[in-house]
Amino acid sequence: MQVTLLGTGDTTGTPTVGCDCATCERARDRGVERTRFSVHVERVNGDSLLIDFSPDFRQQFLRESVPLPDAAVVTHVHFDHLDGLGNVYRLVDSLPVYAADETDPQTGTSVVGTIRDRYHYLDRISVRGRTPFQRFEAAGFEVTLVPVVHPPLVSYGLRVDDPDSGASLAISGDTSYAIDENAREVLRGADLALVEGIVHADLCSHHPAGGDHYDDAGRPRTFGTKHMTLTGARALADDLAADRYRIVHTAHFVPPEQAFRDDVAVDGQRFELAGAKR
């Protein structure tokens, strides 16, 4: 299984348009980017799965030269994870798009219902609802969606397993640290874990909602109510006990001495996951 990080940034990306902060300048100097979130997963036979449709879809696929997906999964309906879906029109003959079918009390519909309503005109897309914790097949992979905590909207993490090689990928999705044990158990023990960490813990003091889920040293693991700090991301990665992990969905507010550490991902990183063949 090959995993390509197409987009590793938050809603504005890094460098952020019009920003001359030290982190954006360091990214420009290094020639690296964190565009809006998306992950491409490819099997040995060439079948591929896309996780989330970044608004930067076109740029990402041209830059990384990965094949167009045979199927896709959407984790939640925030624009930076969904609004690239329109890019596939005229590029594919057909594309199954999977998303959770649970009703969101905030919107009165599900993620899959929102996608159907918003992209009803894309006749080459077939939108398919799936129930969290129930494994399903997509592009030859076995996929399991799990609820995470990203108020006020429902949001999901997921696990992707390759049934041939036994390789596995876990993605936390956009979430606070308050992921329950049932979801963590599904995500645990993967070859690679991608965990969301939007800012450093010190920034919580400037957020109206502060931080939450403090560790033993008093460092907040949740920024506000719906994202993890770098501290929280590392703590979750430790709990999930993956062979490797990377922090994703990181904002330009992280100072450069922290923003470019080895475990904080940038676009274009690739991982070959061998797994243990069943």
Side-chain angles (χ1 to χ4, degrees), residues 26-120:
R26 183 76 59 86
R28 293 184 184 100
D29 291 343
R30 291 184 172 212
V32 298
E33 286 188 299
R34 293 188 175 116
T35 58
R36 275 74 67 87
F37 183 80
S38 186
V39 178
H40 186 275
V41 190
E42 187 174 356
R43 301 180 69 206
V44 172
N45 68 0
D47 291 345
S48 64
L49 178 69
L50 183 67
I51 314 301
D52 284 344
F53 289 92
S54 168
D56 301 306
F57 180 101
R58 180 179 179 276
Q59 172 192 356
Q60 292 170 349
F61 273 77
L62 288 172
R63 183 191 65 206
E64 302 306 330
S65 299
V66 292
L68 289 168
D70 298 289
V73 179
V74 175
T75 61
H76 65 296
V77 299
H78 280 152
F79 86 95
D80 53 323
H81 296 257
L82 177 58
D83 281 9
L85 177 54
N87 283 259
V88 301
Y89 190 62
R90 302 185 188 278
L91 299 180
V92 297
D93 293 326
S94 63
L95 183 70
V97 177
Y98 299 91
D101 58 7
E102 293 180 315
T103 299
D104 187 338
Q106 182 73 22
T107 64
T109 188
S110 60
V111 175
V112 74
T114 299
I115 298 170
R116 285 193 184 116
D117 291 344
R118 193 176 298 180
Y119 292 97
H120 61 89

Side-chain angles (χ1 to χ4, degrees), residues 152-218:
L153 301 180
V154 293
S155 183
Y156 300 86
L158 67 155
R159 183 184 177 107
V160 179
D161 290 283
D162 182 348
D164 293 329
S165 68
S168 55
L169 168 68
I171 301 176
S172 73
D174 280 19
T175 184
S176 80
Y177 189 73
I179 304 173
D180 73 22
E181 181 57 27
N182 291 331
R184 288 174 184 242
E185 187 57 34
V186 172
L187 301 175
R188 199 166 275 135
D191 296 296
L192 175 66
L194 302 177
V195 290
E196 192 240 27
I198 196 165
V199 295
H200 55 301
D202 293 340
L203 202 61
C204 292
S205 62
H206 303 288
H207 192 289
D212 205 349
H213 308 114
Y214 295 92
D215 65 13
D216 292 341

